[in-house]
Amino acid sequence: MAKNSNKTEENRNKFINDIKQGKVWGSYDIAFNTVNLLKDVIVNGDWQTAQELMVLITAEGRKLTRSLPMQASVGNMVRRVLKIIREEYVATQQNKQEDVDAQESLHKIVTSEGDVVDDYSKLLPDLRSSIMEHIGEFEMELETSADNIAQQARQHIHSNEIIMTLGKSASVEAFLKKAATERKFEVIVAECAPFCRGHELAVSLGKSKIETTVIADSAIFAIMSRVNKVIIGTHTVMANGGLRAVCGSHIVALAAKHYSVPVIVLAPMYKLSPQYLCSYDQDAFNSFVSPEGVLKYSDGAILSKVHVYNPVFDYVPPELVTLFISNTGGHAPSYVYRLLSELYHPDDHDL
Amino acid sequence: MCVNEFCVPRTLKMKKKEIEEVFGGILENEQDVSAGMAAIRTLLNVLERDTSETVQELDSNLQAAVDAMKNTDYPVTAVASGCELFLRFITLAKLDTKTFGECKSIMLHRGQLFLKKLMEARGKVAKLASSFIVDGSRVLTHSKSRVVLHGMKEAARANKRFEVYITMSSPDNSGVEMRRLLEEENIPCTVILDSAIGYVMEQVDMVMVGAEGVVESGGIINKVGSYTMAVCAREMKKPFYVLTESFKFVRLYPLNQRDLPNEFKYTSSKLGRDLSKEHPLVDYTPPSYITLLFTDLGILTPSAVSDELIKLYL
């Protein structure tokens, strides 16, 4: 047993280091690897009942989220797995599939006949296999999510439209390429300085024969009047339907609002986080990286005289978002709370 | 709505006074109890002491009690919503039991459970809201609200340093009372004039208000001046948070101020007079001005409130 737990710890540390060093990159890979780590805990961990397993997973999740506070998808995956365990426990125990709605509701308050608190402590022999099976299905969902989003491209991109996007998002790239197989349209890519990942996207789209124009971030507003639609990706969808997205997204969203251009955000379900933005100084909301891209170290003398910041994220309030497209379809920002209550158990919001 | 004095049976007339006394007694002796909660407790009290022998009689007695409470000079919105929930759901037990005695004991049991959950509600709301108060925040609040007070206490106990601005809130100047309560907790606060809302808005980080009632659209009914504050907060792009317990959800869909029932806007003693000359006591804040609602059901967007109410009254 001790050997197993050592191995789990080793895996976890490797995963954390890989993310910190940028070896594992992109929220899909992060989500996928998190699920694998948790699977390891379920298979090799020392547990008898669902309750013990949930304690193990929560502890593992806490270690991960403490070390990687910026990667919301890690926490999201931990919550999803916990929810799966809860569902499977109830299903195996009652030997039937039943929808367990754990969300507090006024209806429950007024009609309840006293609380029946289930502490998940019953011994269930088939639990391990049924949880693993369910997680298998969930992994399938993860794998196909990008594709599912891309499948909806046809409904949103029409012929001869001008689409604006910003930086590089894997979902947006797949979405645009899928649409290009059937329709002809034009894409304007804001480069998203200082990382300029927009250049990479432009090259990739160009190779797929999509008419692409790269613009500087400062030209976003000037160009917006000609744009029909803004399609962007995001890092996290917050609980109120706001976005934590790459820096510059707020500018795009505000310019779009000014010209009444619809803003479509591609967000697979694993990006939905039960987090709220309480204040802009909030811990773990933004991260500041090396300012090298803003002001080169070779600029010498001036460096000691000025402050240089290079934040990674922007908060985009929900009223600037028109539509979310997830692997399960399109949703308005005001509907995000509902999706959250379906995805996660309320007790798991704080790990 | 008003009970006609002449057709009320003698026994009930006695009761009416008694009910008013119980209801008023709770509100006066226990500062920490809101009108809605007091109403539910009064109804439970009526249910306990009731001697009627048929469901119909019990029903009409409870209804009479509700009317009696609505006729007092306490805020009626929360009373109305609390009582509606109580009458509809706690007494719903009558449909599926055999004897009247059985039925009554189930009602009492349910009622007590309901009350217990409601008592826990304020703590839950406070806990959610206190996480939004961070070090160095300046919060503007309106009038006196027990939930807001509770939330701020919670934040102060978590050693957060923040400052509160409270509107005086005429005509009853309840903001002064709110200041006293906050100062007891050593929370720095300033009372401002109602007309200074625009003046302080640029200095604050957020607005937190309570609510007397939350309507189906997700908007709120609250002490008059809340709407002014919400409009002002929207203009200056400050978040407008509402702290409220879920038993304040009411089935009402006002589109404007005029749609609010008169008994919500005026105390019962003023209802007979020329209302155009009277000051309304509450106003309606539409959902588009509300950023989030903190309730014991969790943090809700205004549109989630409709969802809750639909689930309830389906």
Side-chain angles (χ1 to χ4, degrees), chain A residues 18-273:
Chain A
D18 280 353
I19 291 179
K20 284 191 173 162
Q21 292 164 6
K23 281 188 203 157
V24 174
W25 191 88
S27 32
Y28 169 72
D29 288 332
I30 293 173
F32 198 77
N33 282 321
T34 313
V35 176
N36 274 336
L37 271 183
L38 297 175
K39 252 167 58 181
D40 200 45
V41 177
I42 297 171
V43 175
N44 299 320
D46 183 15
W47 60 275
Q48 301 295 326
T49 64
Q51 189 190 27
E52 284 168 23
L53 176 59
M54 274 155 57
V55 170
L56 279 181
I57 297 278
T58 315
E60 181 73 16
R62 199 175 297 135
K63 282 177 200 152
L64 284 171
T65 45
R66 292 275 152 84
S67 328
L68 303 163
M70 297 311 300
Q71 305 299 340
S73 30
V74 173
N76 296 345
M77 288 307 95
V78 177
R79 292 184 191 100
R80 271 303 277 277
V81 169
L82 283 170
K83 169 93 172 173
I84 288 174
I85 297 171
R86 286 174 198 270
E87 274 176 2
E88 281 309 315
Y89 174 80
V90 175
T92 335
Q93 190 191 18
Q94 297 174 341
N95 243 332
K96 60 175 186 242
Q97 206 67 40
E98 193 184 286
D99 189 30
V100 268
D101 189 12
Q103 214 66 26
E104 273 273 32
S105 79
L106 197 49
H107 187 250
K108 267 172 126 185
I109 292 184
V110 291
T111 53
S112 75
E113 300 283 344
D115 282 319
V116 195
V117 184
D118 196 340
D119 57 358
Y120 299 91
S121 61
K122 255 187 216 130
L123 266 176
L124 298 168
D126 300 337
L127 193 59
R128 199 180 299 247
S129 62
S130 53
I131 289 175
M132 289 310 288
E133 200 177 307
H134 198 152
I135 290 184
E137 282 167 28
F138 172 55
E139 278 182 312
M140 195 71 149
E141 184 199 317
L142 271 184
E143 276 167 39
T144 52
S145 59
D147 202 39
N148 282 338
I149 291 179
Q151 291 299 336
Q152 300 169 56
R154 228 157 56 107
Q155 298 157 33
H156 296 281
I157 297 177
H158 305 114
S159 284
N160 299 320
E161 276 190 328
I162 301 177
I163 313 284
M164 184 185 276
T165 184
L166 154 106
K168 185 188 179 194
S169 146
S171 329
V172 173
E173 192 180 343
F175 195 79
L176 294 175
K177 282 184 178 169
K178 182 77 189 171
T181 58
E182 299 184 36
R183 304 220 162 106
K184 224 177 137 46
F185 56 93
E186 200 182 313
V187 179
I188 295 173
V189 185
E191 59 176 4
C192 207
F195 309 107
C196 291
R197 306 207 57 236
H199 297 176
E200 287 169 40
L201 178 68
V203 170
S204 158
L205 292 180
K207 279 186 184 149
S208 305
K209 306 263 181 304
I210 300 173
E211 209 180 321
T212 311
T213 315
V214 178
I215 57 165
D217 298 334
S218 47
I220 288 172
F221 189 83
I223 298 288
M224 190 58 82
S225 58
R226 313 163 34 142
V227 172
N228 297 104
K229 231 165 243 155
V230 170
I231 301 180
I232 55 173
T234 181
H235 186 267
T236 310
V237 178
M238 315 283 285
N240 60 350
L243 307 178
R244 176 166 71 183
V246 65
C247 206
S249 305
H250 200 178
I251 304 176
V252 172
L254 279 172
K257 185 84 179 171
H258 183 89
Y259 286 109
S260 298
V261 176
V263 176
I264 295 177
V265 179
L266 306 185
M269 285 302 210
Y270 58 81
K271 292 193 174 180
L272 256 64
S273 154

Side-chain angles (χ1 to χ4, degrees), chain B residues 176-290:
Chain B
V176 180
E177 168 71 2
M178 184 74 170
R179 173 176 65 182
R180 190 183 65 75
L181 294 168
L182 282 171
E183 275 172 351
E184 273 175 18
E185 298 290 320
N186 293 319
I187 298 169
C189 50
T190 316
V191 170
I192 61 160
L193 289 175
D194 292 344
S195 44
I197 290 176
Y199 179 90
V200 291
M201 196 55 86
E202 63 175 36
Q203 304 171 43
V204 302
D205 298 305
M206 71 188 91
V207 180
M208 276 190 176
V209 298
E212 280 190 31
V214 181
V215 298
E216 269 183 288
S217 59
I220 57 162
I221 300 172
N222 196 31
K223 179 77 183 282
V224 71
S226 303
Y227 183 36
T228 321
M229 200 176 257
V231 172
C232 200
R234 163 52 52 92
E235 179 59 31
M236 302 222 191
K237 307 250 171 2
K238 308 285 179 182
F240 186 85
Y241 298 130
V242 175
L243 283 69
T244 178
E245 298 105 323
S246 60
F247 71 85
K248 287 177 177 167
F249 290 4
V250 267
R251 287 193 86 190
L252 205 66
Y253 205 120
L255 298 172
N256 51 30
Q257 309 297 331
R258 220 179 43 190
D259 279 354
L260 291 183
N262 278 339
E263 61 265 30
F264 284 17
K265 286 190 278 192
Y266 307 97
T267 55
S268 60
S269 54
K270 289 190 177 145
L271 276 177
R273 302 187 211 165
D274 177 9
L275 290 179
S276 62
K277 301 275 189 295
E278 297 293 337
H279 300 297
L281 294 176
V282 294
D283 60 15
Y284 164 63
T285 307
S288 53
Y289 292 98
I290 297 169

Side-chain angles (χ1 to χ4, degrees), chain A residues 104 106 112-114 276 337, chain B residues 113 117 124 299 307-308:
Chain A
E104 273 273 32
L106 197 49
S112 75
E113 300 283 344
Y276 284 90
Y337 84 95
Chain B
L113 271 177
K117 290 213 171 157
K124 284 190 196 167
I299 302 176
D307 224 36
E308 264 321 308

Side-chain angles (χ1 to χ4, degrees), chain B residues 8 14 35 51 53-54 58 65 102 114 116 118 150 154 168 189 214 226 234 242 251 272 284 288 290 292:
Chain B
V8 180
M14 280 296 294
T51 52
E53 273 158 22
T54 61
L58 178 65
E102 233 176 274
F114 181 48
K116 198 177 131 245
L118 296 190
H150 213 84
E154 187 87 22
M168 180 90 89
C189 50
V214 181
S226 303
R234 163 52 52 92
V242 175
R251 287 193 86 190
Y284 164 63
S288 53
I290 297 169
L292 289 172

